[in-house]
């Protein structure tokens, strides 16, 4: 009886697996980091405004030993903006990939030491078989209502991260990686979003014990000097930029595995001359990160990006996951 009820509930929550058209494009490098636009720790506190702090811990793993430094230019300023009605603020473009600092450069906001070089050398070996029908990836949205602009200056609820999840899920399934996409609204009451998402994840893992990867898709809110910031990768498909966030060891028992996965995903997303993936964020503020063996919070684009740009990035993320898990 309990499983029957669960099945009914799950069927109501899951979005259909749809195939979306994809046009493969060659990434181009024509973006530069815009002065004054900085990157911040992923915001996990409901409705809060991220303020600049006196010090941010940054881990740079291009050297044999870790180094921590304070650098105002490496933090992004995020603020809460009204999500309904027209937004007429000026929009500026920014490349926040920081790939010139190396593929192992991460933003370690936790203050906890991590052997980034060692985790990179370890590589990612938990590959899977293509075409396995058992669901392997669960895609959810703790903040389901986060949206993008409609191509003009306005922000509309229907143009939300759910569309990105649809594109990501459809491409994964087309590539032979079985994925389920849950579009349930978890943030009708913002304060309860992560608790609601946790209940969903736990239920889905019970129904589909084959799931090993949980991807929570969000989008960023970035501003600079009162202007909305649109992330640009310089790719010919107009893809927005992506930030991968993982939990620190103090909050995530599988932190090493998550960091290793995030590192190879970033490498794949930025291969060639692409500038799609920003530095990985390691944080103590990542609710639910310990629920599965692999859990990554993914910010796809910023509020000033269009939903089409975010969906293009979602498709790129699917190809990167395919590269890592199967190729």
């Amino acid at each position: 009886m309990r499983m029957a009820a669960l099945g009914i509930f799950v069927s109501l929550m899951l979005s259909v697996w749809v195939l979306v058209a994809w046009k493969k494009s060659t990434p181009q490098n024509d973006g530069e980091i815009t002065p004054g636009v900085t990157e911040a720790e992923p915001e996990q506190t409901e409705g809060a405004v991220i303020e600049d702090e006196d010090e941010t811990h940054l881990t740079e793993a291009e050297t044999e030993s870790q180094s921590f430094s304070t650098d105002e230019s490496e933090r992004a300023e995020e603020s809460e903006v009204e999500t309904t009605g027209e937004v007429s603020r000026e929009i500026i473009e920014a490349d926040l990939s920081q790939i010139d600092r190396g593929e192992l450069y991460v933003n370690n906001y936790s203050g906890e030491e991590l052997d980034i070089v060692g985790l990179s050398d370890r590589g990612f070996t938990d590959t899977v078989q293509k075409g396995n029908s058992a669901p392997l990836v669960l895609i959810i949205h703790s903040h389901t209502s986060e949206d993008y602009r409609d191509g003009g200056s306005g922000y509309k609820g229907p143009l939300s991260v759910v569309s990105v999840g649809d594109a990501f899920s459809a491409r994964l399934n087309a590539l032979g990686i079985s994925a389920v996409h849950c579009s349930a609204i978890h943030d009708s009451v913002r304060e309860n979003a992560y608790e609601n998402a946790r209940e969903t994840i736990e239920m889905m893992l019970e129904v589909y014990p084959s799931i090993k990867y949980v991807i929570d898709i969000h989008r960023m809110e970035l501003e600079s000097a009162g202007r909305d910031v649109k992330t640009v990768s310089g790719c010919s498909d107009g893809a927005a930029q992506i930030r991968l966030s993982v939990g620190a060891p103090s909050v995530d028992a599988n932190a090493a595995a998550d960091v290793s996965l995030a590192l190879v995903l970033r490498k794949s997303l930025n291969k060639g001359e692409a500038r799609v993936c920003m530095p990985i964020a390691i944080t103590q503020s990542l609710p639910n990160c310990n629920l599965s063996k692999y859990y990554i919070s993914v910010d796809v684009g910023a509020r000033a990006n269009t939903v089409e740009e975010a969906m293009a990035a979602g498709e790129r993320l699917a190809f990167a996951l395919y590269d890592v898990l199967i190729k």
Side-chain angles (χ1 to χ4, degrees), residues 106-162:
V106 307
N107 284 338
N108 185 358
Y109 299 103
S110 71
E112 301 176 33
E113 292 190 7
L114 284 156
D115 182 8
I116 302 299
V117 174
L119 290 174
S120 174
D121 288 343
R122 183 183 80 170
F124 185 84
T125 58
D126 200 355
T127 55
V128 299
Q129 182 177 359
K130 181 178 180 180
N132 190 340
S133 61
L136 184 70
V137 180
L138 169 62
I139 305 161
I140 66 157
H141 311 279
S142 293
H143 292 153
T144 321
S145 302
E146 290 179 333
D147 60 1
Y148 302 90
R149 65 190 177 100
D150 62 1
S153 60
Y155 299 92
K156 311 296 182 183
L159 304 178
S160 72
V161 290
V162 173

Side-chain angles (χ1 to χ4, degrees), residues 49-98:
V49 177
I50 293 184
E51 302 289 351
D52 280 342
E53 298 177 356
D54 292 333
E55 182 171 320
T56 297
H57 295 290
L58 303 174
T59 303
E60 188 166 9
E62 292 119 322
T63 59
E64 294 182 357
S65 61
Q66 290 182 316
S67 62
F68 295 88
S69 64
T70 301
D71 189 344
E72 290 289 335
S73 67
E74 299 310 323
R75 299 197 307 273
E77 188 178 319
E78 299 189 14
S79 64
E80 195 69 17
V81 183
E82 181 61 41
T83 59
T84 60
E86 294 296 313
V87 178
S88 58
R89 297 203 309 175
E90 179 185 357
I91 293 175
I92 62 173
E93 297 184 348
D95 169 15
L96 302 177
S97 63
Q98 301 184 60

